[in-house]
Amino acid sequence: MHAPSLIVAERFDRIVADMTTRGIGRPEGLAENDQAIYYIVATRCEIDMGGFNSVFDQLLSETEILKLVDILYRLHSAALANAFFRAHGLLRDAGFFDDDGDGDKMVTDYDRADGTGLLNAIESEIREGDQLWDLDSELAVLP
């Protein structure tokens, strides 16, 4: 029997291959459980490679952030869902998602005047205990 993390990694690879075969860049149209695996694994990878702000700068649209929140609630990860929802709210309140046509907004553009990163506290909360990385047991059993 494979460890949950191996099962999730193999399934993620299949999902990405399926998306490539279909010529789609986003997982819309895939089964709900495949979307769950895609969004959680892609978010973890983005955090590991580009940092937490990069999730919002490069990976997920506003709609996809809310999709991730719904997925986390469905997986009974309310603390994580609430953290991402609060990040969304802070960004929404700051005007990050407002369409100004330039498309070059970065989360750091909205950092506080004292130099504190807008999402620093939420990032610490999400990284604490590797909660997002501990979802493999739940993801591995999704049909």
Side-chain angles (χ1 to χ4, degrees):
M1 182 101 191
H2 287 5
S5 58
L6 265 175
I7 293 167
V8 172
E10 290 171 357
R11 186 142 171 213
F12 180 76
D13 288 344
R14 284 194 308 272
I15 291 165
V16 171
D18 183 38
M19 289 169 57
T20 301
T21 300
R22 293 181 184 196
I24 58 174
R26 307 309 294 169
E28 291 77 27
L30 299 181
E32 188 173 312
N33 290 336
D34 287 348
Q35 287 184 36
I37 290 169
Y38 175 86
Y39 282 117
I40 289 172
V41 173
T43 298
R44 293 189 314 210
C45 290
E46 191 68 30
I47 290 171
D48 285 345
M49 294 184 320
F52 186 65
N53 288 351
S54 184
V55 170
F56 308 96
D57 290 337
Q58 297 184 49
L59 179 65
L60 301 179
S61 68
E62 181 176 15
T63 302
E64 291 174 321
I65 293 164
L66 296 173
K67 175 76 172 177
L68 175 63
V69 168
D70 289 342
I71 289 165
L72 291 167
Y73 278 126
R74 187 167 58 93
L75 293 173
H76 308 289
S77 296
L80 282 171
N82 290 335
F84 275 98
F85 190 70
R86 286 193 331 275
H88 169 267
L90 286 172
L91 293 169
R92 163 84 9 238
D93 291 348
F96 181 78
F97 299 111
D98 296 346
D99 185 16
D100 64 1
D102 85 12
D104 291 330
K105 292 180 182 179
M106 303 295 281
V107 172
T108 54
D109 296 339
Y110 300 89
D111 286 350
R112 297 185 176 106
D114 67 1
T116 304
L118 180 65
L119 302 179
N120 283 3
I122 295 172
E123 176 179 6
S124 294
E125 183 180 327
I126 287 173
R127 287 183 180 269
E128 184 178 317
D130 292 331
Q131 297 173 64
L132 193 59
W133 289 259
D134 289 339
L135 293 173
D136 286 351
S137 293
E138 288 83 6
L139 295 173
V141 298
L142 293 176

